[in-house]
């Protein structure tokens, strides 16, 4: 993939700003499943926030990494969901928004039995240095907990909080997890709109109606988002990343070009959506908690699960609007 070898894309960010860790106290699954069903307006509890995040994810209005905390990504997800459903776009979990969310009657928290495949690995620490990454056969998950967290669109801390005392790395263990698997796939999109100020990527159908929204990291002062109208040129799943330090303003002196193997902890994650703007694309990330919170090297970064969903909805030729 020659376009990847010269892409101005975001590498894994050492010291990236992430959400504060959740408290160590456990979360009761029954309380989460019941939260928000009779909610009045006002400050939502952690169970209610968690249930709302899961329902939004199921509705394809992702708040990024599910963590039970309220922040900018969740406000953007709520706002987008409200717009789609003809509600006042307040970004708040008001009574009308809960009524719409509660049309999905599925439990937000489900029981999942860890499989042999979930814990098969191989798991290994992921080095920060690009040259060290290049020595590996693949950039897989560092642990079974990381793999399961990504499978259920959640932070590892949330999975531990939902499952106190449980071993996330043991086959046969029964876990409480966000109920985000097996939802209806996104319909085919007619247009992608990336909004820098809102830090979102929105999918529109052929008639211009929104069908889904994801939080996004969208450039920096050094590598600004290339505002304009472009097209999808192609899609690569599990791409190899060709690192060229000359294209990164923050590269360390003395770094050399490196071929970084594929995998979820690859700097571009599990997929690359190539744009007609040379050297730019939409891709995943090995650091899902950073999405919408940190800057990128000009490209559009999504969580791995959101970019995977995107690749099933768009195709070569899909219009892409990048706007301020």
């Amino acid at each position: 993939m020659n376009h990847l070898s010269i892409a101005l894309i975001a590498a894994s960010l050492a010291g990236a700003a992430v959400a504060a860790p959740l408290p160590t106290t456990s979360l009761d699954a029954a309380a989460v499943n019941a939260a928000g069903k009779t909610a009045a307006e006002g400050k939502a509890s952690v169970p209610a926030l968690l249930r709302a995040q899961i329902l939004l994810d199921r509705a394809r209005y992702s708040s990024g990494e599910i963590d039970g905390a309220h922040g900018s990504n969740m406000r953007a997800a709520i706002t987008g969901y409200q717009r789609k459903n003809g509600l006042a776009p307040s970004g708040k979990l008001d009574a009308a928004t809960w009524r719409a969310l509660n049309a999905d009657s599925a439990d937000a928290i489900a029981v999942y039995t860890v499989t042999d495949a979930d814990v098969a690995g191989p798991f290994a620490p992921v080095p920060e240095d690009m040259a060290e990454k290049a020595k590996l056969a693949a950039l897989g998950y560092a642990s079974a907990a990381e793999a399961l967290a990504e499978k259920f669109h959640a932070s590892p801390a949330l999975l531990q909080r939902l499952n106190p005392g449980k071993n996330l790395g043991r086959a046969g263990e029964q876990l409480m997890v966000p109920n985000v698997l097996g939802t209806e796939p996104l319909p085919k999109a007619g247009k992608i709109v990336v909004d820098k100020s809102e830090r979102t990527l929105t999918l529109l159908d052929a008639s211009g109606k929104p069908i889904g929204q994801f939080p996004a990291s969208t450039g920096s002062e050094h590598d600004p988002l290339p505002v304009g109208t472009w097209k999808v040129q192609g899609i690569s799943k599990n791409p190899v990343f060709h690192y060229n330090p000359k294209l990164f303003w923050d590269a360390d002196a003395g770094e050399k070009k490196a071929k970084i193997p594929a995998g979820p902890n690859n700097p571009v994650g599990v997929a690359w959506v190539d744009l007609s703007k040379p050297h730019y694309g939409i891709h995943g990330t090995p650091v899902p908690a950073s999405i919408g919170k940190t800057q990128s090297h000009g490209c559009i970064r999504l969580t791995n699960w959101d970019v995977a969903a995107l690749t099933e909805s768009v195709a070569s030729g899909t219009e892409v609007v990048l706007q301020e």
Side-chain angles (χ1 to χ4, degrees):
M1 262 164 287
N2 292 333
H3 53 273
L4 280 181
S5 66
I6 52 177
L8 297 175
I9 52 182
S12 175
L13 299 175
V18 297
L22 286 169
T24 56
T25 53
S26 62
L27 268 172
D28 180 76
V32 175
N33 284 334
K37 292 185 177 179
T38 57
E41 295 185 43
K43 186 175 181 180
S45 65
V46 172
L49 290 172
L50 179 53
R51 181 166 177 265
Q53 285 182 329
I54 295 167
L55 293 179
L56 287 164
D57 187 288
R58 289 172 56 85
R60 301 298 190 173
Y61 276 76
S62 170
S63 61
E65 193 177 64
I66 296 171
D67 59 6
H70 196 287
S72 57
N73 284 346
M74 188 169 184
R75 284 193 295 274
I78 295 168
T79 299
Y81 179 83
Q82 289 168 330
R83 288 171 179 157
K84 178 188 178 184
N85 288 278
L87 305 173
S90 65
K92 298 178 180 179
L93 285 170
D94 54 32
T97 303
W98 273 119
R99 282 195 294 272
L101 287 170
N102 286 332
D104 182 345
S105 60
D107 283 343
I109 301 295
V111 178
Y112 178 77
T113 302
V114 178
T115 68
D116 290 335
D118 289 326
V119 300
F123 303 115
V126 179
E128 291 289 342
D129 184 73
M130 288 292 185
E132 294 301 313
K133 283 182 168 74
K135 295 177 183 178
L136 301 177
L139 281 170
Y141 294 111
S143 66
E146 181 188 26
L148 283 168
E150 194 148 300
K151 184 172 189 172
F152 294 104
H153 309 177
S155 71
L158 176 70
L159 281 191
Q160 290 288 359
R161 192 175 175 190
L162 284 168
N163 298 283
K166 295 291 184 74
N167 182 352
L168 273 59
R170 182 169 61 201
E173 192 82 88
Q174 287 197 321
L175 304 178
M176 296 294 176
V177 298
N179 187 12
V180 295
L181 301 185
T183 55
E184 288 293 320
L186 279 165
K188 295 301 178 183
K191 181 189 291 188
I192 298 170
V193 178
V194 176
D195 191 288
K196 178 183 175 182
S197 61
E198 294 189 357
R199 296 188 176 188
T200 57
L201 181 153
T202 301
L203 290 170
L204 308 177
D205 66 14
S207 68
K209 294 180 180 179
I211 56 175
Q213 179 184 292
F214 310 127
S217 292
T218 59
S220 71
E221 61 178 316
H222 299 279
D223 299 301
L225 184 73
V227 171
T229 300
W230 315 99
K231 289 187 181 297
V232 171
Q233 292 212 136
I235 296 170
S236 301
K237 297 182 180 181
N238 293 312
V240 170
F241 173 48
H242 295 267
Y243 176 63
N244 183 353
K246 292 183 179 180
L247 299 176
F248 291 82
W249 64 268
D250 54 352
D252 293 333
E255 280 192 302
K256 297 180 180 180
K257 292 181 180 180
K259 184 178 178 180
I260 311 302
N265 273 309
N266 178 289
V268 296
V270 300
W272 167 267
V273 179
D274 195 38
L275 300 184
S276 56
K277 170 69 174 175
H279 320 323
Y280 285 84
I282 304 167
H283 62 86
T285 181
V287 192
S290 72
I291 295 302
K293 307 295 183 181
T294 59
Q295 297 177 328
S296 76
H297 288 80
C299 290
I300 299 100
R301 273 189 292 134
L302 309 177
T303 65
N304 276 341
W305 53 88
D306 286 341
V307 79
L310 177 76
T311 62
E312 298 303 317
S313 180
V314 303
S316 294
T318 302
E319 184 178 359
V320 182
V321 176
L322 308 182
Q323 63 189 33
E324 296 282 353

